[in-house]
Amino acid sequence: MLVITYEGGRLNGNPLYHWIALAVSTALMLPVPVGILAGWTPPWLRKQQAGLRLHAYGLLCVYAVMLVNGIPRIADASSGTVLACMSVGIGFFAAASVLFMLSARKDSRAQRTGAVEPRES
C-alpha cells in the first residue's frame, strides 16, 4: 500500500488547517439549522416552511460530515481510521440528500394544496 506523507512526515497534514476548516464550517453552517430548530425562519426560506425542520436536519448531517472527516485528521489518526470516518461521512451525505429531497417534496405538496404549517414564534 502506498502511503503519502505530508509536511513533517505526518499522514494527515498540518492539524492547524483542519482546525481552521472546522472553525469556519462551525461558524458558517451550524447557526442556521440550530436557529431553524429553535423556531427562527430565515428570510430566504419563508415560503418553504412545510419541510423546514427536515431541511435543518439535512444541514446538520452536512455539518456532521465536517466533524467526522476533520476530527480524525486533527488527532493524526491512522489511515484506516480516517478511511472508516470518511465512509461514515458518505453515510451522512446520503442521509442529508434524502432529508433535502423529503423537505422539497413536503414543500411542493404544501404549495400545491395551499396548506402551509404555521410556525410558532
Side-chain angles (χ1 to χ4, degrees):
M1 176 167 88
L2 177 67
V3 177
I4 299 172
T5 57
Y6 296 101
E7 52 193 66
R10 300 183 107 154
L11 178 67
N12 296 313
N14 190 346
L16 178 63
Y17 299 140
H18 299 293
W19 274 115
I20 292 170
L22 194 58
V24 168
S25 66
T26 299
L28 295 178
M29 293 188 68
L30 198 56
V32 174
V34 169
I36 289 172
L37 292 174
W40 172 69
T41 304
W44 62 90
L45 293 175
R46 300 267 160 118
K47 294 181 181 179
Q48 303 172 354
Q49 291 186 359
L52 199 56
R53 293 185 72 81
L54 293 171
H55 195 82
Y57 289 129
L59 288 172
L60 286 176
C61 284
V62 173
Y63 177 69
V65 172
M66 304 295 181
L67 291 177
V68 298
N69 282 328
I71 291 174
R73 295 170 193 273
I74 290 170
D76 201 25
S78 67
S79 61
T81 303
V82 171
L83 185 62
C85 289
M86 286 172 55
S87 300
V88 171
I90 291 171
F92 276 117
F93 263 132
S97 63
V98 168
L99 288 167
F100 289 142
M101 286 189 286
L102 288 174
S103 171
R105 185 176 181 189
K106 193 171 182 180
D107 286 334
S108 68
R109 282 186 179 175
Q111 287 176 353
R112 208 172 331 131
T113 62
V116 175
E117 297 175 2
R119 294 287 295 173
E120 300 167 3
S121 297

